[in-house]
Amino acid sequence: MSMAGLVILDCWVSPFCMRVKIALNEKGLQYEARPEDLFGGKSDLLLNSNPIYKKVPVFLHDGKPLCESSIIVAYIDETWSSPPLHPPCSYGRAQARFWADYIDKKVFDACGNIWRSKGEVPVEAKTEFIEILKQLEGALGDKEYFNGATFGFVDIVAIPLTSWFFAVEKIGGFSVAAECPKFSSWMKRCLQRESVAKVMPDPEKVYESVLMFRKMQGID
Amino acid sequence: MEGGVVLLDFWASMFGMRVRIALAEKEIKYEYSEQDLRNKSDLLLQMNPVHKKIPVLIHNGKPICESLVQVQYIDEVWNDQAPLLPADPYKRATARFWADFVDKKMYDSGSRIWKTKGEEQEAAKKEFIENLKLLEGELGDNLYFGGEGFGYVDVALVPFYCWFYAYEQCGNFSIEAECPKLIAWAKRCMQKESVAKSLADPEKVYEFLLQLKKAYGIE
């Protein structure tokens, strides 16, 4: 297999992989997405390219590996400058990095606290999840996107995680649209972008996968 | 000429030390404001409402939170001297990866050394050393993680050095015996004024840790 060009070691259901693909699409770049079998057997390329974490995504630029999705997205923005994904000023970039870090620290784990629950989902898990989204609504304010008038870095970091929300809503028995209408509107706005729509999986398929993960982990 | 810089900090915080080092490297004058973490000030809660934590960097009245975000901000705004992140995007991504590794791994595994006993503590020590060995691998034969020059990953990691004595005392082990290359790197960094004046005294850190253990009810 050729090591030239842009390759992503991928998994269709991983929101972290989706971030990288959306960024590449925004930049109008051609790339090859190579699916990894995360449960059957990770490829030698993956294990050699990401020896520390052995996780997807790995982004290979002419054979040189990069790991950690937010770091990969920043690399893509710094290497291919148009259109810019980060705000132009240093303070704006610091705010963007802060919110990307918040999303990374909080959202996926909060989803996990709901979909990994055995039996009744604890009220605290649902409350915490909604509080996190409300915090993000505060950061969004009256802007079209987290990045401002244009779609950017924080939007790319956040939107893929929402592909797991349908599963979380079904299992948790609540509605993101009802609890956080502003966040829900932002989600719909992002999903209208071709760069996002062609990467985001069908939420029903994600839900099926989550149910399978629950069985695998002995929860169901 | 840049505007006023204030740092809300706590003397023993490794995260605060990162920012102190970056400010010193750039020779930025700033006001250091020691915070009482058991009784958080209105200013701290106002400037970091999301996490309510130190360090908080305030520049021209506007807050920046999260130590690695602050270090990158300092590097970008005061870009006339002592560059911390490399210019090349691939090297920058690599530096960010290793600083992120320090963030994900060092604080947790270090904390578990002083918070636990017996088998749990042995496991924590083992993990801590394994993480340091991975960092030694990344350092290779370089003087600094930044290569020839002191840089971003050095800033991210070196503050933990002043906590090593406390971890060693609590865990009854020698970090230098396991990771001599890393200790040699740390001592090299300590020869830099920006590092030496930013890190806390290891003995004082250990005394503080003993107080923390009492407060947590850990023997």
Side-chain angles (χ1 to χ4, degrees):
Chain A
M1 277 183 180
S2 167
M3 289 315 294
L6 311 179
V7 175
I8 173 174
L9 304 184
D10 188 27
C11 176
W12 69 272
V13 76
S14 158
F16 308 101
C17 294
M18 289 173 219
R19 288 171 175 177
V20 180
K21 289 181 278 190
I22 292 169
L24 292 167
N25 290 342
E26 283 287 316
K27 300 286 186 178
L29 294 164
Q30 298 298 315
Y31 60 92
E32 182 197 342
R34 288 192 203 161
E36 284 283 334
D37 181 357
L38 299 181
F39 303 106
K42 294 174 180 176
S43 72
D44 285 342
L45 182 59
L46 173 56
L47 298 174
N48 292 331
S49 304
N50 191 356
I52 303 291
Y53 301 117
K54 306 175 176 41
K55 285 183 176 181
V56 291
V58 174
F59 179 61
L60 294 143
H61 183 189
D62 293 336
K64 296 206 295 190
L66 292 115
C67 308
E68 292 303 297
S69 58
S70 302
I71 293 173
I72 296 169
V73 173
Y75 172 81
I76 289 168
D77 198 30
E78 286 174 13
T79 306
W80 294 275
S81 54
S82 180
L85 300 174
H86 282 74
C89 71
S90 298
Y91 190 74
R93 282 196 290 277
Q95 293 305 97
R97 288 171 183 145
F98 173 86
W99 286 109
D101 174 74
Y102 177 85
I103 291 160
D104 263 345
K105 280 184 165 93
K106 300 278 193 180
V107 179
F108 202 60
D109 280 354
C111 288
N113 289 339
I114 293 170
W115 72 257
R116 286 203 171 97
S117 297
K118 210 174 170 77
E120 184 88 29
V121 174
V123 171
E124 307 82 60
K126 289 193 263 192
T127 313
E128 199 203 343
F129 181 78
I130 296 299
E131 264 165 27
I132 290 166
L133 294 192
K134 285 205 192 295
Q135 192 76 261
L136 290 173
E137 280 188 327
L140 185 60
D142 294 321
K143 306 195 299 288
E144 291 269 294
Y145 300 104
F146 285 97
N147 196 52
T150 55
F151 183 78
F153 182 63
V154 178
D155 306 283
I156 293 174
V157 166
I159 193 65
L161 294 160
T162 70
S163 65
W164 283 56
F165 284 10
F166 175 70
V168 166
E169 286 168 314
K170 288 276 276 190
I171 293 166
F174 66 100
S175 153
V176 169
E179 302 275 356
C180 305
K182 213 170 167 184
F183 191 85
S184 190
S185 300
W186 164 81
M187 282 169 58
K188 291 197 177 84
R189 204 173 295 127
C190 291
L191 287 165
Q192 282 167 6
R193 296 181 74 76
E194 201 195 326
S195 63
V196 177
K198 63 183 187 181
V199 162
M200 297 277 279
D202 180 347
E204 290 271 8
K205 291 207 160 65
V206 176
Y207 179 50
E208 277 168 39
S209 286
V210 170
L211 292 178
M212 186 187 72
F213 297 147
R214 284 173 62 96
K215 276 212 182 69
M216 282 166 65
Q217 290 175 29
I219 300 163
D220 279 336
Chain B
M1 169 72 175
E2 296 295 339
V5 179
V6 179
L7 178 65
L8 308 183
D9 197 359
F10 178 69
W11 69 274
S13 162
M14 306 93 159
F15 306 101
M17 287 172 213
R18 290 170 167 175
V19 188
R20 286 176 239 165
I21 294 169
L23 290 167
E25 281 285 302
K26 306 281 187 175
E27 295 181 329
I28 298 162
K29 287 193 170 32
Y30 66 98
E31 180 197 329
Y32 177 93
S33 174
E34 182 73 13
Q35 298 294 301
D36 180 354
L37 299 184
R38 290 160 304 175
N39 186 19
K40 291 178 179 178
S41 68
D42 287 342
L43 181 62
L44 172 56
L45 297 175
Q46 201 190 323
M47 291 284 125
N48 192 356
V50 176
H51 299 300
K52 305 175 173 51
K53 286 181 173 181
I54 57 89
V56 179
L57 181 71
I58 308 172
H59 184 206
N60 293 327
K62 297 198 293 188
I64 301 114
C65 304
E66 292 302 300
S67 59
L68 292 181
V69 176
Q70 291 155 348
V71 172
Q72 289 184 77
Y73 176 80
I74 289 165
D75 199 35
E76 280 181 24
V77 173
W78 289 273
N79 56 12
D80 51 341
Q81 69 181 80
L84 297 172
L85 273 164
D88 170 67
Y90 189 78
K91 290 189 174 140
R92 287 162 80 86
T94 306
R96 286 179 175 137
F97 175 87
W98 285 102
D100 177 69
F101 175 87
V102 172
D103 258 4
K104 279 181 162 79
K105 302 283 191 181
M106 296 299 296
Y107 187 75
D108 275 351
S109 56
S111 295
R112 270 181 283 123
I113 294 173
W114 63 264
K115 282 183 178 161
T116 63
K117 287 195 294 192
E119 268 181 41
E120 254 194 284
Q121 192 187 56
E122 289 306 308
K125 281 156 63 178
K126 184 162 175 274
E127 197 194 326
F128 186 78
I129 294 297
E130 270 166 17
N131 291 333
L132 289 184
K133 284 197 194 296
L134 286 170
L135 287 161
E136 277 188 329
E138 175 57 16
L139 181 63
D141 294 321
N142 293 318
L143 288 178
Y144 301 104
F145 286 92
E148 289 286 304
F150 184 79
Y152 186 64
V153 180
D154 305 283
V155 174
L157 180 60
V158 78
F160 287 86
Y161 177 60
C162 69
W163 278 72
F164 282 5
Y165 173 70
Y167 294 155
E168 285 171 326
Q169 293 301 301
C170 292
N172 192 30
F173 69 124
S174 160
I175 296 171
E176 185 159 16
E178 306 271 0
C179 304
K181 217 171 167 183
L182 197 76
I183 299 299
W185 159 82
K187 288 180 176 162
R188 191 177 302 129
C189 291
M190 284 294 286
Q191 284 169 5
K192 293 175 70 64
E193 199 190 335
S194 62
V195 177
K197 68 177 188 181
S198 299
L199 263 55
D201 181 327
E203 291 267 8
K204 292 204 162 74
V205 169
Y206 180 46
E207 273 170 38
F208 168 69
L209 189 53
L210 291 175
Q211 282 170 25
L212 263 187
K213 282 178 69 152
K214 259 207 196 94
Y216 272 86
I218 305 163
E219 282 164 45

